[in-house]
Amino acid sequence: MNNNHPAGHGPTRALTVADVLALPVLAAGQPQVVTGVTHLERPVRWVHITELTDPASFLKGGELVLTTGMPLPDDVPGVRRYVDELANVGAAALVIELVRRYHRPPDALVDACRLRGLPLVTLAKDVNFLEVTQVVHALLLGNQADAMRRTQRIHEVFTALTLRGAGPEDAVRAAAEMCGRTVVLENLAHQALICEPSGGTVEEALTGWEQRSRATGAHDPTATCGPAGWLTAPVEYQGERWGRVVMLPARTDGPAFGPEHITVLERTAMALTVARLTHHTPWERTAHRNALRDLVDQRHRSAQDAHARCTALGLPTDRSRFVATLVDLRTGSGGTEAETHLLQELRAAGASALVGELAPDRIGILLALRPSQPWRPIVERLCSIALGLAPQAVVSVGSEITDLSDTARSFREAVRVAEATPPGQPLPPDRSFHELSDIGLHRLLYTLREDTRIQEYAEQQLGRLIDHDTQHGTDLLTTLRHYLEAAGNKTTAARRGGLSRETMYQRLRTIERLLGRDLESGEQRTELHAALMALDVLRTH
């Protein structure tokens, strides 16, 4: 029999009635469970041999009582009283030997044990009770020593975490690894900020989190509570309750929470309290940021996990539409304070969103919209807030999506819009933000300006003309620009350049000769116009 979990996978399991009955020293007596089959997982604290008519007066609870049956009363009321006293004191089980006085258990004893839910076990063969006590007590003492060592290890781990300034994720992860149970940190609004699943998925742990959490009620001391039997411990900040850390029961009918689980959870709560004092970024902000980055980078294990995690953070995901928005502050000072301010303003406007810094000076916002809720007014409000935070801020928007799994695509589109927006790019007359439809040829070339093929193209098309202007002090490049912008209309081009028509004609012939191009060709004019636009973006700082 193995009473120990592997290191790092939960506290030592308590010795149970079923464990003791499986020991060779008792198995030799051919034990038969007569009543209380469903209670064999009761922990055994000690073994007590008795031939007294009132053994309960010497018990404290949790004992496996061994008897030959010699002291059992002959009358039914006496038998019932005997069993009642054992049950009232919390005896783990009654084991009776059917060798000396009885060869079958008395009906009164069976009925009384069944009525009180006390496991009754019979032994068909003689068993050395003293040897049973020696074996079981050796196991119990060994378990106690192991439990002490594990408790010491728990304290050492969390002390080390605290001393190195570990964050809340480290503390929650350590608790989950030690106990082999899922551990969740939530705030007072019952939003799950950190979840470390063990033996399951985020979806299983967090689905319906707020409702399940509220059903447990509020408990200041560490306690097992609620219909699901959660183990919870309060987390404080500056002397006031801030939230709580929750350990979920095992997924299967495993052992209940024991003293070591309680120790782990209490030390986790202490470590979180210290971390709350030393990590100044609000944990809600960190939770939003991490959830958003995982959506953008598609790091969730499944779409269901993503839905459960975002819902547990307070973002509605059912029947919602979503819009990815980027706020580029372009201040060089970071966006932590801006994150908080933007989220507060969104909440004040009644909008649901995840807000988090995706890169230095770049804040990502995932808006969750009701079926009929328009997103443009909300984004316009974001623009006014962003410009109030940083006058040079640029807001870019991806396409609207209906599936949370498409969040990465919507953000990629927003990034493309942001990358295609040069500094000082004028806004459309009807709005304060940029979107995918704004990307024309000029902004596309701006996006590709680092590509050497764009640089080579501009040089190949216009290099000789630029060299001629440099060597001779002419301005033929400007003349070409006026001509191309006038769509090949020489009269309009001459007027824009302040030239006579004859001078314009002469300059155009020189340009054709230098470039080897036919300016009457619409295709060639298009090629040169694209090269001019590429040259412009390459010269943009």
Side-chain angles (χ1 to χ4, degrees):
M1 181 182 67
N2 181 11
N3 290 314
N4 297 320
H5 290 290
H9 291 277
T12 302
R13 185 169 65 84
L15 198 65
T16 66
V17 174
D19 294 331
V20 175
L21 295 180
L23 293 172
V25 68
L26 261 179
Q30 298 178 359
Q32 180 71 38
V33 180
V34 181
T35 68
V37 176
T38 59
H39 300 298
L40 296 184
E41 291 304 316
R42 286 181 176 177
V44 174
R45 190 184 61 83
W46 209 245
V47 176
H48 185 75
I49 304 172
T50 183
E51 300 300 338
L52 299 175
T53 58
D54 60 339
S57 59
F58 295 92
L59 305 179
K60 294 183 178 180
E63 292 88 356
L64 186 80
V65 178
L66 303 177
T67 181
T68 62
M70 299 299 292
L72 279 177
D74 293 321
D75 59 308
V76 172
V79 172
R80 289 177 177 171
R81 182 174 59 254
Y82 183 91
V83 172
D84 283 342
E85 290 178 355
L86 290 178
N88 290 340
V89 80
L94 174 62
V95 180
I96 181 170
E97 191 180 68
L98 302 180
V99 175
R100 293 169 177 81
R101 181 177 178 185
Y102 299 106
H103 296 287
R104 59 182 298 273
D107 292 340
L109 181 64
V110 174
D111 292 341
C113 288
R114 182 175 290 117
L115 182 65
R116 293 304 306 271
L118 179 68
L120 173 63
V121 182
T122 61
L123 298 175
K125 292 186 176 182
D126 190 23
V127 169
N128 186 330
F129 284 173
L130 182 59
E131 187 178 353
V132 173
T133 62
Q134 290 174 337
V135 172
V136 175
H137 291 171
L139 287 171
L140 290 171
L141 291 172
N143 276 359
Q144 290 175 8
D146 185 61
M148 291 179 64
R149 287 191 294 270
R150 290 181 64 85
T151 300
Q152 179 63 28
R153 175 60 180 160
I154 291 168
H155 290 298
E156 289 174 354
V157 167
F158 281 100
T159 298
L161 286 173
T162 300
L163 289 176
R164 69 178 176 86
E169 294 87 356
D170 300 307
V172 173
R173 186 180 305 113
E177 290 175 351
M178 282 186 177
C179 295
R181 304 287 179 94
T182 295
V183 180
V184 179
L185 173 66
E186 68 169 13
N187 60 14
L188 290 178
H190 300 275
Q191 294 176 342
L193 306 184
I194 301 173
C195 173
E196 280 292 335
S198 181
T201 64
V202 172
E203 178 192 6
E204 292 169 333
L206 296 184
T207 296
W209 178 263
E210 182 178 349
Q211 293 79 7
R212 292 159 58 208
S213 177
R214 291 184 184 279
T216 65
H219 298 267
D220 285 334
T222 303
T224 302
C225 54
W230 289 4
L231 183 65
T232 69
V235 178
E236 296 185 348
Y237 178 58
Q238 295 182 341
E240 295 184 0
R241 184 174 175 178
W242 174 86
R244 64 179 178 175
V245 60
V246 178
M247 186 177 291
L248 302 184
R251 298 174 64 195
T252 57
D253 296 331
F257 293 118
E260 291 176 42
H261 294 99
I262 294 173
T263 300
V264 168
L265 205 64
E266 289 178 340
R267 283 308 309 262
T268 304
M270 290 174 60
L272 289 168
T273 296
V274 174
R276 191 73 180 84
L277 293 169
T278 56
H279 291 72
H280 301 296
T281 300
W283 290 351
E284 289 87 349
R285 298 278 53 71
T286 304
H288 273 232
R289 186 182 301 169
N290 292 341
L292 197 59
R293 289 177 178 178
D294 286 348
L295 284 171
V296 171
D297 296 335
Q298 297 180 295
R299 289 196 294 249
H300 284 101
R301 179 177 176 180
S302 67
Q304 292 75 20
D305 278 8
H307 273 269
R309 183 178 178 190
C310 292
T311 302
L313 278 174
L315 187 79
T317 58
D318 291 336
R319 300 185 306 278
S320 292
R321 294 147 44 241
F322 306 94
V323 174
T325 305
L326 292 179
V327 177
D328 286 311
L329 299 173
R330 303 188 177 186
T331 62
S333 59
T336 301
E337 292 184 6
E339 282 180 277
T340 303
H341 189 69
L342 286 168
L343 183 61
Q344 289 173 345
E345 291 290 340
L346 284 168
R347 286 176 174 170
S352 298
L354 289 181
V355 180
E357 191 174 45
L358 300 179
D361 258 7
R362 171 169 287 178
I363 298 173
I365 301 167
L366 181 64
L367 293 172
L369 306 155
R370 297 184 299 275
S372 60
Q373 185 179 15
W375 60 266
R376 291 180 179 274
I378 299 175
V379 175
E380 286 288 355
R381 179 163 182 169
L382 277 175
C383 292
S384 63
I385 298 167
L387 291 172
L389 295 170
Q392 63 273 47
V394 174
V395 178
S396 308
V397 181
S399 60
E400 180 183 308
I401 56 175
T402 57
D403 190 334
L404 196 65
S405 301
D406 291 330
T407 298
R409 175 173 61 82
S410 187
F411 269 105
R412 282 197 300 270
E413 292 173 351
V415 169
R416 285 170 55 195
V417 174
E419 290 177 346
T421 304
Q425 176 72 30
L427 287 161
D430 57 338
R431 50 186 160 86
S432 303
F433 57 88
H434 302 271
E435 56 184 328
L436 205 59
S437 60
D438 296 337
I439 301 180
L441 179 58
H442 184 273
R443 293 178 67 168
L444 179 62
L445 291 170
Y446 179 78
T447 305
L448 301 174
R449 65 191 181 281
E450 303 291 340
D451 194 317
T452 56
R453 289 171 296 182
I454 298 295
Q455 300 167 15
E456 289 173 354
Y457 180 77
E459 182 63 24
Q460 177 191 3
Q461 294 287 331
L462 301 173
R464 282 169 292 177
L465 191 62
I466 297 171
D467 290 342
H468 182 277
D469 281 345
T470 302
Q471 295 168 9
H472 298 87
T474 56
D475 196 13
L476 295 177
L477 187 68
T478 300
T479 300
L480 177 62
R481 182 187 303 277
H482 290 154
Y483 176 70
L484 295 175
E485 288 177 351
N489 187 307
K490 298 181 179 65
T491 302
T492 302
R495 184 171 62 253
R496 288 180 178 177
L499 304 173
S500 66
R501 291 188 55 167
E502 292 74 13
T503 303
M504 173 61 68
Y505 291 158
Q506 180 184 2
R507 289 190 178 187
L508 290 177
R509 286 194 294 272
T510 303
I511 291 171
E512 287 181 321
R513 177 175 56 78
L514 289 170
L515 298 181
R517 309 307 297 267
D518 178 9
L519 295 182
E520 295 297 324
S521 166
E523 180 178 350
Q524 293 188 29
R525 285 204 307 269
T526 300
E527 291 172 353
L528 290 171
H529 204 169
L532 263 177
M533 296 174 73
L535 183 66
D536 290 341
V537 300
L538 290 171
R539 290 176 171 178
T540 301
H541 297 291

